[in-house]
């Protein structure tokens, strides 16, 4: 099969690369062409554009690069049509990808599969109309999306498992470093437990949340604070917040850090789920502008009840979400205290973490998705072959029926022509006979008239002779 994939960011590159690997396991003839990144390129195939040439975040950057965005979209559509893949696999990135899906549905016969569905349960729920219209199959990695799509919107989807759960399981099964070794490797205090700070991966997130996280954690002197540095953020940016504080930072070691943490302060996003899967009690912290207004909008406008994946999956408040008007240092510190060892909130949260883990299931998301996708495409190809065969048979039957109709029509026309010729010949014969009869009668009439004329001449001659004889006498 020929697979065309489109991603727009680093996380999409990671998920798509794993899906490609899984597709190669089920489809030995798999061919790939894609808009993606380095991880996808490592799996093989042809990269048309790097996702870094596509991704623009925020209103102003998007506005400034509209020409480039439209040009990339046009290039993508033309390339798909030219390559003629069996399927186009869209990975998250809904602004770009839903436009591609609309084009495919309207202008081609190529199905669009969506891997990692757009988060319309959080915002832009109206996009369900285009999804139902343009997406042939949707693959979800969050179990709560199943009732959202299938029950609320009557749109069947495939839940294939959660890749984060798979990644954490894989890491934990292979990671054997103990607490002391981890501390010595990262210049940490081996005698104090760790409070992990996961402040996000974007500059604005870090700016908004990290100062308050540090202020909260500093109140717990029996613990050491360790920040998980995001790969995309420079040390100099972190230094502005960490200077003069006891906070230490580790880079590219989020999973090892969580493996040895007692508690954590975490911004919303995938990090909340990762923290739960490492069985680390947490408090979710997320500062917003205009907190009162945001709280009002969250209660009355937004369509989801929670901001953290842990609570969304559990469908209840497993972890405290300190955002908007609840984002206050004292309140966050109080919630952190409640989940430290020996506190009741800790055991309750750990128990409910296990429920979250059960809801995620044991499927390996890319493997499950690859099997379903390949099976669907095989069935689609068989259906297309069957339809083509049925169409060919129908066309052959129609042609045979048309030929038979033409033959019968020709026979009918020949028979009609023959009958017409016979009728014309008969009419001609009758006309000839009538003409002959007329001629015969005309001859007979002329003969009769001639006889009568001869008779009159004879009588006249006789009378003349009689007259002459009488005169002689």
């Amino acid at each position: 099969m020929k697979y065309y994939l489109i991603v727009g960011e680093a996380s999409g590159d990671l998920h798509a690369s794993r899906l490609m690997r899984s597709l190669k396991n089920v489809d030995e003839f798999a061919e790939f062409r894609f808009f993606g990144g380095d991880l996808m390129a490592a799996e093989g195939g042809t990269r048309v554009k790097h996702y870094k040439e596509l991704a623009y975040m925020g209103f102003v950057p998007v506005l400034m690069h509209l020409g480039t965005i439209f040009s990339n979209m046009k290039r993508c559509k033309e390339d798909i049509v030219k390559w003629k893949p069996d399927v186009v696999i869209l990975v998250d990135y809904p602004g770009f990808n839903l436009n591609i899906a609309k084009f495919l549905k309207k202008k081609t016969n190529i199905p669009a599969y969506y891997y990692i569905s757009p988060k319309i349960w959080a915002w832009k729920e109206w996009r369900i109309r285009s999804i139902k219209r343009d997406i042939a199959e949707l693959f979800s990695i969050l179990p709560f999306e199943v009732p959202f799509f299938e029950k609320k919107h009557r749109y069947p989807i495939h839940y294939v498992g959660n890749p984060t759960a798979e990644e954490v399981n894989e890491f934990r099964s292979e990671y054997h470093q103990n607490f002391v070794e981890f501390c010595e490797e990262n210049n940490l205090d081996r005698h104090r437990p760790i409070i992990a700070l996961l402040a996000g991966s974007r500059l604005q997130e870090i700016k908004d949340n990290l100062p308050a996280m540090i202020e909260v954690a500093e109140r717990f002197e029996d613990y050491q604070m360790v920040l998980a540095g995001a790969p995309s953020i420079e040390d100099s940016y972190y230094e502005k917040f960490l200077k003069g504080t006891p906070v230490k930072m580790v880079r590219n070691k989020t999973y090892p850090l969580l493996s040895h943490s007692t508690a954590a302060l975490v911004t919303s996003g995938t990090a909340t789920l990762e923290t739960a899967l490492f069985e680390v009690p947490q408090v979710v912290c997320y500062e917003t502008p205009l907190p009162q207004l945001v709280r009002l909008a969250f209660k009355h406008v937004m369509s989801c009840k929670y901001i953290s994946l842990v609570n969304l999956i559990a469908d209840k408040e497993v972890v405290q979400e300190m955002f908007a008007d609840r984002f206050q240092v004292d309140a966050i510190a109080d919630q952190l205290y409640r989940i430290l060892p020996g506190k009741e909130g800790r055991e309750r949260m750990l128990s409910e973490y296990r429920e979250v883990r059960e809801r995620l299931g044991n499927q390996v998301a890319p493997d499950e998705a690859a099997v379903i996708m390949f099976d669907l495409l095989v069935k689609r190809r068989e259906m297309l072959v069957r339809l083509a065969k049925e169409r060919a048979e129908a066309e052959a039957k129609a042609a045979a029926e048309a030929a038979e109709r033409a033959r019968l029509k020709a026979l009918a026309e020949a028979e009609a022509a023959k009958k017409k010729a016979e009728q014309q010949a008969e009419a001609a014969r009758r006309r000839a006979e009538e003409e002959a009869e007329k001629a015969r009668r005309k001859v007979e009439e002329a003969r009769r008239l001639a006889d009568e004329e001869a008779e009159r001449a004879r009588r006249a001659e006789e009378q003349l002779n009689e007259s002459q004889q009488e005169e002689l006498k």
Side-chain angles (χ1 to χ4, degrees), residues 274-318:
E274 291 172 326
T275 303
L277 292 171
F278 275 98
E279 301 178 51
V280 179
Q282 64 184 298
V283 179
V284 175
C285 314
Y286 204 86
E287 185 181 37
T288 64
L290 304 172
Q292 299 293 340
L293 184 60
V294 169
R295 176 63 62 182
L296 183 67
F298 192 78
K299 286 182 176 180
H300 301 289
V301 179
M302 295 187 70
S303 56
C304 60
K305 294 186 289 185
Y306 307 106
I307 65 169
S308 68
L309 286 178
V310 176
N311 291 345
L312 286 164
I313 293 168
D315 196 26
K316 60 183 178 181
E317 194 169 50
V318 174

Side-chain angles (χ1 to χ4, degrees), residues 2 38 48 88 90 95 146 155 171 178 187 211 217 226 260 262 264 290 332 372 380 387 390 445:
K2 296 169 68 175
D38 299 334
V48 182
V88 174
L90 312 169
V146 175
Y155 178 69
F171 175 83
N178 63 38
N187 297 316
V226 183
H260 299 294
T262 299
L290 304 172
I332 296 171
I372 296 172
R380 182 176 186 273
L387 290 176
E390 290 174 356
E445 180 66 18

Side-chain angles (χ1 to χ4, degrees), residues 234-245:
E234 298 291 336
D235 286 348
S236 57
Y237 187 77
Y238 282 118
E239 185 63 26
K240 295 186 293 184
F241 305 102
L242 302 184
K243 188 175 181 180
T245 76

Side-chain angles (χ1 to χ4, degrees), residues 337-444:
Y337 176 78
R338 293 170 185 241
I339 59 173
L340 292 178
K343 306 304 176 185
E344 183 179 346
R346 182 180 185 85
E347 295 308 315
R348 177 191 62 79
M349 189 176 294
L350 290 173
S351 175
E352 291 176 336
Y353 276 175
R354 287 189 280 275
E355 182 182 336
V356 170
R357 182 65 190 84
E358 289 174 3
R359 290 196 176 197
L360 290 173
N362 297 314
Q363 302 103 309
V364 178
D367 290 352
E368 186 81 3
V371 168
I372 296 172
M373 287 181 182
F374 183 65
D375 184 57
L376 287 169
L377 290 171
V378 168
K379 289 178 179 177
R380 182 176 186 273
R381 179 172 286 183
E382 290 173 349
M383 179 193 70
L384 291 175
V385 170
R386 185 179 70 253
L387 290 176
K389 182 180 178 181
E390 290 174 356
R391 186 166 55 248
E393 290 174 350
E395 290 174 353
K397 182 179 178 181
E401 290 174 349
E404 179 63 13
R405 287 195 299 271
R407 186 184 70 81
L408 293 174
K409 182 180 178 182
L411 288 174
E413 290 176 349
E415 184 64 25
K418 177 183 177 183
K419 186 176 290 186
K420 183 178 180 181
E422 289 175 349
Q423 290 173 346
Q424 290 175 342
E426 179 64 18
R429 185 185 65 76
R430 287 176 181 174
R431 284 195 302 272
E433 288 178 350
E434 289 173 357
E435 290 296 326
E437 180 64 20
K438 286 179 182 179
R440 184 185 65 75
R441 289 176 181 176
K442 188 175 181 180
V443 169
E444 288 179 352

Side-chain angles (χ1 to χ4, degrees), residues 177-186 188 190-191 260:
Q177 189 177 44
N178 63 38
F179 180 78
V180 172
E181 291 170 341
F182 175 76
C183 289
E184 290 178 350
E185 180 181 271
N186 294 284
L188 303 177
R190 58 187 292 183
H191 301 293
H260 299 294

